[in-house]
Amino acid sequence: MNKLPQHEENSHAVENRKSYLLHRQTQYQYAYEYAHTIAVVRKLPCREIPGIGYWLRGGINLLQLIPSLPNLLVTFSRYLLGKPLENYQDYVFYPFSPPNPRLVDTFQQDLTFGLQRVIGVNPVVLRAFTRQNPLPVALPESEIRRIFAEQITEVDYAAALEQKRVYVLDYASLEILQQNPGSIDGGRKQYVTTPIVVLFLQSDGLLQPLAIQLYQDARPDNPVYTPKDGNLWLAAKMFAQIADGNHHILYTHATRIHYVMEAIIMASRRQLYKSHPLSVLLNPHLQHTLNVNHQHTFLRNQKGQPGRYGELFAGDYDATTQCMANAMTSFNFRASAFPNDIAKREVDNPALFYPFRDDGMLLWNAIQSFVKEYIDVYYRSDADVIEDYEIQAWANDVSAQDRGRIPGFPARFESKQELAETFGHVIFLCTAFHSCIHFNQYKYPGFVPNMPHSAYAPPPMGKNTEIDAAGLFKLQPAFRAANSQTWTYFQTNFTVNRIGQYPLRRFDPAARDVIERFRSQLKEIEGQIDQRNSNRSVTYDRMNPRLIPNGVTV
């Protein structure tokens, strides 16, 4: 039977638990990377390395590329001969397994740009422009008011603000990348800006981009671009996409999912005995993550070489790693809880087509209900939580500055409610939320012209800048960087499990009943989302439990 530590019946069992955990603490030791800020495992324990089944699934996924290899070899041969890619279609390196066939023709459209704010890889930057969430000070409101009057006739400016129909994207956090550009492929300079984007909520629920300012300071060569600016508008949107791609990986995905989960996994291995009820609950969600994080992705290897994936991003090595450190220190676990985040960004207007929000609330509520019911099986009162010295040590391990360093994580638990909310949040983070942020990568930035991780020509320097179609194309990466980006996202486009999969033999009978009810609820949510998608102009499946893995497994 799975037991809380204070419910062990004899001193031998208590000592056995303590001995086990002391041994685990020697195996799972903290180190600090990314400007000495983010907690990681010092040396990956062998038990964290996946078995053959994991690698076979990855290999089977890659077999889908075989029919496309002749096309890739032709493109690669042209690259070796010094012939550049000539058009956007050339970036479809795997035509028999394309990332998103429609994007080749639509990625420059305003509708496609707006849709990616709500169904793309980074649907967490969008916020309403309201009295509580004003425009960034770097963007003159008088200019936005003028542009709004020129472009929008169905509602006046004041009414649009009152009705939450004006939205903002702000990438000020990328300034360190902008100021410290990287280079690749023999010194080819990389570019990123810190744009501010303003969008309008149309009557059909979709977002229409109205204005883009590329930098965070007022100067003559930093105008506000609008759809009337032709190719300059297309260039401005491209730089907004580049910024979103950098923010997506360096802030939302790698740091605030993968490395937050690393700290939680470390604490779980170090402080929760294997038969602690919450260890048994969490363990299926913690598989493979440390191994994924331990790959040579961003950090320098023993030879001093930076990760081949990390060098695709727009800053130099030090700027990129510092940007990730900034992403962690500015994070707040409590504030990032799904309903808290929706409320803070004020994206609760039901007229906004935002399936990430709408489907996400179904999953959030189901997981919270499940965890609360599970905790009720083992904790009779708040006193049981307070007396559980393993769970208190776990909370301290995740949050303490000399341990996991996760900002805003509870340092201890005083109630069943707080414990349930926290564990529900953790499970949502590594399942539903990661599903949305990770598994759209091949679909959107997998077609590189839609969201390259760097530009390879300077941004426009004012409205007198002349830029034609060839000039727009020069912003794109050459073959090596582009293929690395596409390949990376395709090879992570596989799953090894599904949310709700628990080894029932490890659970007590009462807990099994709770799991079965949760599985039934997930099945109901599948049907609800299927029904919603049948009525949507654009489908969204990333919150469908049918497609959500049980953890951060890739």
Side-chain angles (χ1 to χ4, degrees):
M1 181 177 178
N2 300 321
K3 291 182 180 180
L4 302 180
Q6 67 268 34
H7 294 161
E8 289 289 2
E9 297 168 354
N10 58 70
S11 59
H12 176 74
V14 171
E15 289 304 315
N16 184 54
R17 291 177 82 119
K18 290 180 179 179
S19 175
Y20 173 89
L21 292 174
L22 284 172
H23 179 63
R24 280 298 188 97
Q25 288 160 23
T26 65
Q27 295 178 313
Y28 291 82
Q29 295 185 4
Y30 289 103
Y32 300 96
E33 298 285 4
Y34 302 97
H36 309 289
T37 300
I38 296 176
V40 299
V41 63
R42 184 177 300 276
K43 181 180 180 181
L44 185 70
C46 293
R47 67 171 57 85
E48 300 291 346
I49 300 174
I52 188 66
Y54 178 92
W55 304 109
L56 281 175
R57 284 177 181 263
I60 290 170
N61 179 57
L62 293 178
L63 289 177
Q64 298 177 57
L65 298 182
I66 289 177
S68 298
L69 289 181
N71 179 84
L72 181 64
L73 287 172
V74 170
T75 306
F76 181 61
S77 299
R78 293 181 67 240
Y79 164 70
L80 293 177
L81 293 172
K83 296 182 179 181
L85 300 170
E86 296 178 342
N87 54 63
Y88 295 119
Q89 182 66 45
D90 285 349
Y91 285 89
V92 182
F93 300 120
Y94 310 111
F96 289 90
S97 303
N100 189 341
R102 289 176 294 182
L103 271 184
V104 177
D105 298 319
T106 66
F107 77 97
Q108 292 179 317
Q109 295 177 5
D110 286 356
L111 174 63
T112 301
F113 181 92
L115 276 172
Q116 288 182 75
R117 313 295 57 96
V118 291
I119 64 172
V121 292
N122 199 28
V124 297
V125 179
L126 185 75
R127 67 169 178 84
F129 168 24
T130 66
R131 291 184 182 88
Q132 292 75 30
N133 273 316
L135 282 177
V137 294
L139 182 62
E141 186 176 358
S142 58
E143 182 74 354
I144 297 305
R145 188 183 294 110
R146 181 189 64 79
I147 292 169
F148 189 95
E150 286 181 356
Q151 297 190 44
I152 305 301
T153 59
E154 64 184 84
V155 63
D156 65 44
Y157 181 75
L161 294 186
E162 187 67 28
Q163 297 167 16
K164 291 187 180 177
R165 297 185 66 180
V166 184
Y167 292 83
V168 178
L169 311 169
D170 184 3
Y171 298 98
S173 59
L174 302 181
E175 184 175 2
I176 189 171
L177 304 181
Q178 176 191 305
Q179 293 180 346
N180 301 277
S183 62
I184 197 172
D185 289 347
R188 193 178 182 198
K189 189 175 179 181
Q190 296 162 295
Y191 297 87
V192 68
T193 64
T194 52
I196 305 168
V197 183
V198 178
L199 307 98
F200 172 68
L201 175 58
Q202 301 175 156
S203 57
D204 61 1
L206 302 180
L207 290 170
Q208 170 190 348
L210 297 181
I212 300 174
Q213 180 175 288
L214 291 181
Y215 298 97
Q216 295 281 328
D217 52 353
R219 60 190 195 215
D221 61 354
N222 185 30
V224 178
Y225 298 96
T226 75
K228 291 185 177 182
D229 291 318
N231 283 341
L232 288 174
W233 173 244
L234 295 182
K237 284 195 298 180
M238 177 54 58
F239 275 93
Q241 286 286 90
I242 291 167
D244 197 57
N246 279 261
H247 186 279
H248 159 246
I249 292 295
L250 304 181
Y251 268 71
T252 309
H253 191 178
T255 303
R256 294 179 173 178
I257 299 177
H258 280 256
Y259 286 114
V260 168
M261 285 305 304
E262 176 138 356
I264 290 167
I265 293 167
M266 288 282 288
S268 301
R269 303 300 194 225
R270 288 165 49 87
Q271 302 296 352
L272 298 180
Y273 186 62
K274 56 188 175 183
S275 64
H276 189 292
L278 291 177
S279 176
V280 176
L281 174 66
L282 268 192
N283 192 54
H285 300 288
L286 309 184
Q287 305 304 306
H288 311 316
T289 308
L290 293 188
N291 177 72
V292 171
N293 292 1
H294 206 66
Q295 301 307 307
H296 179 47
T297 304
F298 298 101
L299 296 174
R300 289 192 174 105
N301 61 15
Q302 293 178 344
K303 297 180 180 179
Q305 300 166 327
R308 296 282 280 179
Y309 177 63
E311 68 178 359
L312 301 178
F313 295 90
D316 63 22
Y317 178 82
D318 289 339
T320 299
T321 53
Q322 183 62 57
C323 188
M324 295 175 70
N326 296 346
M328 183 62 82
T329 56
S330 61
F331 176 68
N332 185 287
F333 183 82
R334 285 189 182 92
S336 73
F338 197 71
N340 296 346
D341 178 63
I342 296 297
K344 180 182 179 182
R345 294 188 288 116
E346 296 193 75
V347 285
D348 53 355
N349 184 346
L352 173 65
F353 177 72
Y354 200 9
F356 167 77
R357 171 199 64 196
D358 300 335
D359 296 352
M361 285 308 303
L362 294 177
L363 268 296
W364 175 269
N365 291 334
I367 291 170
Q368 287 289 325
S369 176
F370 161 58
V371 174
K372 180 182 181 301
E373 192 176 355
Y374 183 91
I375 283 176
D376 284 343
V377 173
Y378 295 98
Y379 295 86
R380 296 182 296 272
S381 66
D382 292 344
D384 280 342
V385 174
I386 294 169
E387 293 168 7
D388 183 349
Y389 51 86
E390 287 184 6
I391 206 64
Q392 301 297 352
W394 179 84
N396 180 69
D397 233 55
V398 177
S399 61
Q401 280 302 299
D402 62 345
R403 303 291 174 83
R405 296 184 177 179
I406 301 301
F409 198 91
R412 61 177 286 108
F413 297 111
E414 301 290 345
S415 68
K416 291 171 58 177
Q417 179 179 343
E418 185 181 27
L419 182 63
E421 288 174 354
T422 300
F423 270 77
H425 185 174
V426 169
I427 292 173
F428 180 87
L429 174 68
C430 69
T431 58
F433 188 72
H434 181 253
S435 171
C436 298
I437 304 305
H438 176 92
F439 286 98
N440 267 337
Q441 289 180 119
Y442 189 58
K443 186 175 183 179
Y444 291 109
F447 177 60
V448 176
N450 175 59
M451 187 178 276
H453 291 327
S454 302
Y456 292 85
M461 300 298 291
K463 294 199 176 186
N464 292 326
T465 304
E466 294 185 6
I467 186 167
D468 56 13
L472 285 172
F473 194 74
K474 288 179 181 177
L475 297 173
Q476 299 294 334
F479 170 79
R480 209 281 294 172
N483 187 55
S484 293
Q485 182 172 326
T486 301
W487 161 260
T488 299
Y489 292 141
F490 186 87
Q491 71 174 344
T492 59
N493 196 37
F494 73 99
T495 60
V496 296
N497 51 33
R498 273 181 58 179
I499 187 173
Q501 288 184 341
Y502 295 96
L504 293 182
R505 67 186 183 281
R506 293 292 314 278
F507 291 85
D508 300 314
R512 290 177 203 162
D513 293 341
V514 174
I515 291 170
E516 292 295 356
R517 285 190 288 273
F518 178 51
R519 288 173 173 174
S520 297
Q521 194 169 9
L522 292 176
K523 198 70 179 175
E524 291 177 10
I525 291 173
E526 287 181 17
Q528 286 178 269
I529 294 177
D530 287 342
Q531 181 60 42
R532 289 177 175 183
N533 279 330
S534 69
N535 296 317
R536 287 169 171 163
S537 56
V538 180
T539 60
Y540 185 72
D541 57 13
R542 288 297 8 132
M543 284 289 188
N544 193 315
R546 187 183 302 118
L547 300 174
I548 297 175
N550 215 21
V552 181
T553 56
V554 286

